[in-house]
Each structure stands twice: as C-alpha cells, then as structure tokens.
Amino acid sequence: MANTTPSDVQLGLDTFGDVTRDESGELLSGAETIRNVVEQAVLADEVGLSFFGVGEHHRSEFAVSSPEIVLAAAAARTRRIHLGTAVTVLSSDDPVRVFERFSTLDAVSRGRAEVILGRGSFIESFPLFGYDLRDYEVLFDEKLDLFSQLLTEKPVTWSGTTRASLQDAHVFPKTEQGLKAWVGVGGTPESVVRAARYGYGLMLAIIGGPAGRFRPFVDLYHRSLDTFGRDRLPIGVHSPGHIADTDQQAWDEAYAGFEAMNNTIGRERGWPAYNRLRFQHDVGPEGALYVGSPETVARKIADTVTTLGVDRFDMKFSTGTLSHDHMMRSIELYGTKVAPLVRELLA
C-alpha cells in the first residue's frame, strides 16, 4: 500500500506544447500554441491542481523551446499552482544558467518554481548547441553534480570535463526558501541511484506498460536513499492521458493525436505503425495511457498511486494534434471530477 494519504496526493499536468489544429484542421502557429499553453496553466490553477509542467523540445511538433519564459507568463496569471519543467534537458544546457533562470522564476512566482532535470529522450538539442552524443552520460552526470552544489546556494567550487571550472562562485539570484528539484527517469536503475545519490526527487516517466513494473525502481530509490543517508524524498509519475465525459468520447478525441505522434516518432526510431488495437490495449489496465471518463481515469490513477506509493501523479494532457478546446475540457474534468474521485478511492 502507498504511504501517501489522500490529502497528500498531488495531481499535476504536463505538456510539451504540442502544435495543434484549429476547427478547420489547419495547424496553429507556434506562437498561438504557446499562448494556449498559458491559458491551460491558468485553468489548471483555477480548478485546484497542484503542478503544471512544460517540456523543453527543439523540433517542429512542439512549440516550447524555452519553458521558463512560458512558465513566467503563467506565474503572472496564477496564484497557487506550482510551475516547472517536464523536463529541462540539463545535458545540453549550462547548470549555472539553469539555476539562474529557475531562481528567477521562483521569485516571480513567489516560491512556486520546480525544475525536473533529464537527459532528454529527444536528442535535437545536442547538435543544436554543439554537444557530442558520445558524451551523453558524462554530460548529464557532471552537470547534475554541479547543479546539486548550486542548489545549496553557497559559493561553489567545481571542476569537470564538460564546462569551465568554478572557484568560490556565487550564483544569483538566491531563492527565498530553496528550489525544489527532481530528476526525470525513464527506467534505468543507474538513473534511479543517481537521483538518490544527489538528493533529487524521483519522477518516473511511465509511457508504456503497466505501472506495477516500475515498483522495483521505487524500492531501489528508497534503498539508495538509505544507503546515502538521505531522508525520504518525493516520488512522482508522469504518464499520458486525456479525459472526456465518457470513455468512448475520450478514446475518439484522443486517438488521432496518439496515432500521429507515435507514427512521427516511430518513423525515426523504427517503431511499427500505431493502430486502434494497440491504443485500446494502452488505455486498458495493462497500458500506460490514462484515457477515459473521469471515473475510469480516477480508478487508474488511484491504482498507480497505491501500487507505487507515489506522492504525485502528473498527466501529460497534450498529445499530437489534440485540440486546445478538448485539452481545456480535459483539464476541467481532471480538477473538478478526477481529483476528488482519486482522493475518495484512496480513502
């Protein structure tokens, strides 16, 4: 059973700023998509959700390459919801600049900023910013080590192979109460241990298969925290989903977006063509898609929270060309219907 009590479970949302279509079927501009993301964050705050995450990408299907700027716009129009990334590709960025940007976001949001750091499942940022993919592992490990020191907000002395050394360096602005930081993990034990070693929260990206297969990673994280002498740290789950008034409506609305995105990425990675049979498996108990009516999605989230003992569940509500209107309705139902049902089921 989960250690989390119903009142403690946080429900959040993630988006990659997928470029969507309008009512006539035309693709929106990146600019309009970004403005829509801000509106989605505002609604998420209004319906009482805990977190709104924006992913960083550098390709045509996704409009957001600078999440912190979008999140700053959302911070000016929201009051309670925490704002962060899903994820920040630390390997192809500079840890000092990442800290500076997020400590600035923390200031304008009055302490609501979070950063989720990752290696990136997409690799476009590496050649774009001049990094060699052969350094994929060392880039992340060294930069995560440096970022861990920056989080102390004390003078930093650091040396490595991937950037210039620092000697008693102060980084500004300082935060008022510290910056909350996570590491996003796709399913490798080494990444789980690394998150525990450096003292980050663990965000599990579950985008395929049943949630239960990630239980060994949760147990490994707890054991690793004990080994490194660290107190309990939060664990979250990130998974795709969509909510409508009925299961059939949710499936019908979501399928085209999932098909388009899976086939676009699949052509690059050698995946088989996506189809309805695969989709219906993925929305079932053994799949990683949280798509359906509020009741269906709430049951699946509650099962995941119970199975893994997690503190937060973030639903990636944007997928492919799913329309802004459908996403807004999904957010509304998530906050007003799903969240109360999840807490009732956990109770």
Side-chain angles (χ1 to χ4, degrees):
M1 292 293 289
N3 296 322
T4 309
T5 64
S7 60
D8 292 335
V9 174
Q10 296 183 349
L11 296 181
L13 290 166
D14 289 334
T15 177
F16 294 167
D18 304 56
V19 176
T20 61
R21 298 187 183 276
D22 62 20
E23 293 179 357
S24 68
E26 293 295 316
L27 284 173
L28 301 180
S29 67
E32 189 167 0
T33 300
I34 289 170
R35 291 191 289 270
N36 284 343
V37 170
V38 176
E39 296 301 325
Q40 291 155 11
V42 171
L43 178 59
D45 185 53
E46 290 173 352
V47 298
L49 294 170
S50 299
F51 176 78
F52 191 87
V54 180
E56 172 199 345
H57 291 86
H58 304 271
R59 52 185 293 149
S60 61
E61 294 89 357
F62 308 114
V64 181
S65 58
S66 300
E68 304 91 340
I69 297 178
V70 179
L71 294 167
R77 297 183 53 197
T78 55
R79 295 176 56 199
R80 296 173 299 274
I81 196 166
H82 280 224
L83 303 164
T85 43
V87 298
T88 291
V89 185
L90 185 64
S91 305
S92 58
D93 210 328
D94 183 81
V96 174
R97 293 295 290 139
V98 172
F99 180 84
E100 290 175 338
R101 296 196 303 265
F102 275 90
S103 61
T104 301
L105 176 63
D106 200 62
V108 298
S109 67
R110 295 184 178 271
R112 293 184 283 132
E114 299 185 15
V115 58
I116 303 177
L117 305 168
R119 292 183 296 177
S121 61
F122 292 86
I123 59 173
E124 288 79 11
S125 63
F126 289 81
L128 188 64
F129 299 120
Y131 291 99
D132 192 329
L133 279 170
R134 289 175 296 185
D135 298 328
Y136 187 79
E137 290 292 339
V138 68
L139 280 166
F140 189 65
D141 198 45
E142 285 196 1
K143 292 184 177 187
L144 194 66
D145 175 51
L146 173 54
F147 198 83
S148 304
Q149 295 186 46
L150 294 168
L151 287 173
T152 68
E153 306 196 33
K154 298 175 181 178
V156 171
T157 297
W158 181 91
S159 63
T161 63
T162 55
R163 77 173 311 280
S165 300
L166 298 173
Q167 181 67 41
D168 293 327
H170 287 271
V171 177
F172 303 99
K174 307 297 185 183
T175 66
E176 293 172 317
Q177 297 183 351
L179 179 65
K180 188 172 184 178
W182 309 66
V183 168
V185 174
T188 60
E190 295 81 6
S191 296
V192 173
V193 174
R194 182 192 286 121
R197 181 169 74 247
Y198 289 120
Y200 290 92
L202 181 70
M203 183 59 66
L204 295 167
I206 303 179
I207 58 174
R213 73 186 182 94
F214 280 75
R215 182 70 215 196
F217 294 108
V218 172
D219 296 337
L220 174 62
Y221 182 64
H222 288 310
R223 291 197 305 272
S224 299
L225 289 174
D226 289 340
T227 298
F228 297 121
R230 295 192 178 276
D231 294 333
R232 186 184 186 278
L233 291 169
I235 302 174
V237 165
H238 156 106
S239 285
H242 176 63
I243 307 160
D245 293 294
T246 67
D247 286 345
Q248 190 64 54
Q249 181 184 353
W251 299 338
D252 291 343
E253 290 175 357
Y255 176 73
F258 279 103
E259 180 188 43
M261 186 54 61
N262 275 272
N263 286 342
T264 297
I265 299 171
R267 282 190 292 272
E268 301 171 3
R269 302 184 181 183
W271 299 348
Y274 201 70
N275 56 50
R276 276 277 186 179
L277 186 62
R278 168 73 184 279
F279 176 75
Q280 291 304 145
H281 171 270
D282 290 346
V283 302
E286 296 301 306
L289 303 187
Y290 294 72
V291 179
S293 68
E295 295 77 14
T296 296
V297 173
R299 283 194 298 270
K300 197 166 185 179
I301 291 174
D303 285 345
T304 297
V305 171
T306 301
T307 299
L308 299 181
V310 297
D311 305 280
R312 191 168 86 197
F313 179 90
D314 292 341
M315 184 180 77
K316 186 194 175 271
F317 68 95
S318 63
T319 301
T321 53
L322 182 68
S323 75
H324 173 60
D325 288 344
H326 286 155
M327 285 190 279
M328 291 290 274
R329 177 60 174 162
S330 183
I331 293 169
E332 179 186 359
L333 290 171
Y334 189 53
T336 61
K337 301 291 186 182
V338 172
L341 283 170
V342 169
R343 293 186 172 90
E344 180 180 325
L345 288 165
L346 291 175

